[in-house]
Amino acid sequence: MPLADHLRELRNRLAKAMLAIVVASVVAAFFSQQLMTLLSSPVPKCLPDTSLSANTGGRCVVLAYQTMLSPFTSTVKVIMLAGLVASSPVWLYQLWAFVAPGLHRSEKKYTYWFAAIAVPLFAAGAFTAFLIMPVSVRVLISITPDVASNFLSLDDLLDFTTRMVLVFGLAFELPLLLIMLNLTGVVTGKRMAGWWRAMVMGTFVFGAVATPSTDPLGMIALAGPIIVLYFIAVGVSLLNDRRKARRNPDAGLSDDEASVLDLTPEPVPTPRALPEQATGDTDGARAHRTGGYDDIT
C-alpha cells in the first residue's frame, strides 16, 4: 500500500476515534454531577451545616473552588476523562484495525489475548485505587491539629483521583506485558524468575514514588498486587517455556551454542573412469579405438 493510502487510512481511523470520544463525552455531560460526586467520594466531607470558621481538625475536609473558572474547567476535565474511558473499546478497535494488517497470524492471536485481558486488569487496578483512596485520605488528614480546618481545592482532588486510578490501572498491566514478551520469545520464564529480588525492590520503590498519596499504605496497596501478579506471570512463562521445549527439542539452546554435528563419514560410490564403463557399451567403444586410443581422425 502506498504511503498516501496509509496516511489516508490513519486519518479515517483517527476521525472515527475522535468522533466516538466526542459522542461519549456529550453523553457523560448529562451525568457530570454524578461523576463529580463519585470522584470526590474518597474524601470525608464536612456536613453542610458545619460553620466554615469551626475547627474541624482531621475529621473532615471542606471542598472549595479557588477561581471563577475552576468549576467550568474541572467539569470539562471530568467529562473528557469519562468520554475517553467510555469510548475506549471504539478507539482501541480503530488502533487495532490500523496495525493488524502488518502483523503475522501468531502475533494477531497474542494481541487478541492481550486486549481481552488488559481491560479487566486495568479495571482491577482502578477498583483497587478506589478502595485504598478513602483510607489514604483519612490517614493524610488525620495529622491535622484540632485548631485548624482542611480546605481542599476540588481541582486538586480530581487530579489526585485521576492520578491514582491511572497509576494503579497501568501498573496492573506490567505482568501482562512480561507474559507477552515471553510468548514472543524475547525473555524466558527462567530469566524472569531470576529477577525476583530486583522486581520486588523496584516495585516498592515505584509504589513509593508513583503513588500520589505518598503514604506507606498506598505504597503497599500498589506494590502488593503487582508482586503477586508478577509471580503469576513467571509461572505462566515457565509453563509456556516447558510447552515449547516439548514441541521443539532445541528450544532451550542458546543462540551462541554450537549445534551437535554428525561427523561419521558416509561411503561414496566410486565413479567408473571410462565413458564406456559408465554406459556399459564396451564393444562399440573398442571399434573406435586404435592401439588403445580413441580414433578421432
Side-chain angles (χ1 to χ4, degrees):
M1 183 182 295
L3 179 60
D5 293 338
H6 280 291
L7 295 177
R8 191 176 298 109
E9 177 73 10
L10 178 62
R11 182 195 62 188
N12 295 334
R13 299 293 180 185
L14 288 176
K16 294 177 181 179
M18 293 300 298
L19 180 61
I21 294 174
V22 171
V23 172
S25 299
V26 171
V27 175
F30 294 96
F31 304 94
S32 59
Q33 295 298 325
Q34 291 82 351
L35 292 173
M36 299 287 282
T37 302
L38 176 64
L39 293 177
S40 62
S41 60
V43 177
K45 293 176 284 295
C46 296
L47 297 177
D49 56 353
T50 303
S51 175
L52 293 180
S53 61
N55 298 325
T56 58
R59 295 185 298 274
C60 62
V61 173
V62 177
L63 296 178
Y65 288 114
Q66 297 180 353
T67 62
M68 285 193 304
L69 291 178
S70 294
F72 175 77
T73 56
S74 61
T75 303
V76 171
K77 186 185 303 183
V78 169
I79 290 174
M80 293 301 296
L81 178 62
L84 184 64
V85 174
S87 62
S88 58
V90 178
W91 56 263
L92 283 176
Y93 170 76
Q94 297 299 326
L95 177 62
W96 162 252
F98 179 74
V99 177
L103 300 178
H104 298 289
R105 181 176 301 178
S106 59
E107 294 173 339
K108 293 180 181 180
K109 178 182 65 176
Y110 294 150
T111 309
Y112 285 135
W113 281 103
F114 182 86
I117 301 175
V119 175
L121 281 179
F122 186 88
F127 181 72
T128 305
F130 268 101
L131 288 180
I132 196 62
M133 273 192 294
V135 183
S136 299
V137 171
R138 287 187 175 89
V139 169
L140 292 176
I141 68 173
S142 63
I143 60 177
T144 304
D146 294 336
V147 297
S149 299
N150 291 296
F151 286 84
L152 179 62
S153 172
L154 192 56
D155 289 335
D156 295 338
L157 175 61
L158 295 177
D159 292 339
F160 173 82
T161 306
T162 303
R163 287 179 57 191
M164 285 284 288
V165 170
L166 291 179
V167 167
F168 274 74
L170 295 177
F172 273 52
E173 305 289 347
L174 176 62
L176 181 60
L177 178 62
L178 293 177
I179 293 178
M180 293 299 296
L181 291 177
N182 176 259
L183 291 176
T184 54
V186 177
V187 62
T188 62
K190 185 177 181 181
R191 179 173 296 180
M192 289 168 53
W195 296 343
W196 74 270
R197 295 180 180 87
M199 285 297 298
V200 170
M201 178 62 68
T203 302
F204 276 102
V205 173
F206 172 76
V209 175
T211 306
S213 60
T214 65
D215 62 301
L217 184 61
M219 177 189 67
I220 296 174
L222 177 61
I226 295 178
I227 293 174
V228 174
L229 291 174
Y230 167 73
F231 283 108
I232 293 176
V234 171
V236 173
S237 301
L238 290 174
L239 292 177
N240 181 60
D241 293 341
R242 185 176 301 178
R243 178 183 61 84
K244 288 182 179 180
R246 287 197 301 264
R247 294 183 178 182
N248 183 13
D250 299 333
L253 298 178
S254 173
D255 295 336
D256 300 330
E257 185 174 352
S259 302
V260 179
L261 300 179
D262 186 7
L263 301 180
T264 304
E266 295 182 359
V268 179
T270 304
R272 296 182 179 181
L274 299 178
E276 62 271 14
Q277 293 176 339
T279 59
D281 188 13
T282 56
D283 295 336
R286 287 188 187 136
H288 300 284
R289 289 176 175 269
T290 303
Y293 298 97
D294 289 336
D295 188 6
I296 60 175
T297 60

